Amino acid sequence: MAVEDGAGAMPVRSEEDIVASRQKVRALCQLLKFSLVDQTKMITAASELSRNTLIHGGGGTMRWAFVENNGRAGLQLVFEDQGPGIADVALALTDGWTSGTGMGLGLPGSKRLVNDFDLQSAPGAGTRVSITKWK
Ligand SMILES: Nc1ncnc2c1ncn2[C@@H]1O[C@H](COP(=O)(O)OP(=O)(O)OP(=O)(O)O)[C@@H](O)[C@H]1O
Ligand SMILES: [Mg+2]
């Protein structure tokens, strides 16, 4: 797989897109030589967030980038949509809270699986979730 410019973007608008994004994240983790455990953590978090982007956000994008901090390599993923947004971000990050029929574990679970987690959202302003895993 080509590393391209070390960054890229792909749509998250269908179940097929979710499968493709998961494959992309796996390939990126392998390029960074993440351990199998870390690969699985990042892929699981990405799966949850891409599903939220599709189901709750009405579709959006996943952007990815190789990042570096003090010589340490990492993979950043940003999930973005222009959907309804989240009124109470703290509540949405609570274990077991869902506005629908899910388990309400996607956001808090994802947060625990990565090193950096940033959620920006407001009603009517869409949602942006950035996660980073460092090697
Ligand atoms: N991209 C988004 N746009 C709008 N609302 C969102 C978005 N992502 C999450 N939410 C809101 O946050 C709540 C919690 O999300 P979380 O992923 O933790 O649980 P869930 O998707 O409801 O269930 P699960 O992920 O366990 O199947 C959702 O029920 C939804 O109301
Ligand atoms: Mg979810």
Side-chain angles (χ1 to χ4, degrees):
M1 191 185 79
V3 182
E4 299 155 42
D5 297 327
M10 52 200 297
V12 183
R13 304 202 165 275
S14 66
E15 289 293 329
E16 293 74 24
D17 288 347
I18 290 181
V19 174
S21 67
R22 187 160 44 226
Q23 288 166 346
K24 182 71 176 184
V25 172
R26 175 176 288 113
L28 294 168
C29 286
Q30 287 171 351
L31 274 173
L32 282 176
K33 296 193 163 55
F34 278 169
S35 69
L36 266 180
V37 169
D38 279 353
Q39 284 183 41
T40 303
K41 286 180 178 177
M42 196 56 164
I43 293 163
T44 303
S47 297
E48 290 295 334
L49 297 176
S50 60
R51 190 158 297 280
N52 281 353
T53 299
L54 178 64
I55 304 293
H56 302 301
T61 55
M62 179 186 85
R63 286 182 287 124
W64 62 270
F66 292 132
V67 289
E68 204 189 286
N69 187 16
N70 286 327
R72 202 171 171 201
L75 175 62
Q76 180 187 32
L77 303 175
V78 180
F79 297 85
E80 212 157 3
D81 64 65
Q82 302 299 315
I86 301 173
D88 189 335
V89 169
L91 186 61
L93 281 165
T94 306
D95 277 328
W97 190 86
T98 178
S99 62
T101 56
M103 301 261 285
L105 288 173
L107 285 177
S110 300
K111 186 176 182 179
R112 286 190 288 264
L113 290 170
V114 299
N115 299 122
D116 302 340
F117 181 98
D118 180 63
L119 169 51
Q120 305 284 337
S121 187
T127 298
R128 177 189 185 277
V129 186
S130 170
I131 58 174
T132 305
K133 189 121 196 112
W134 297 101
K135 191 164 155 58

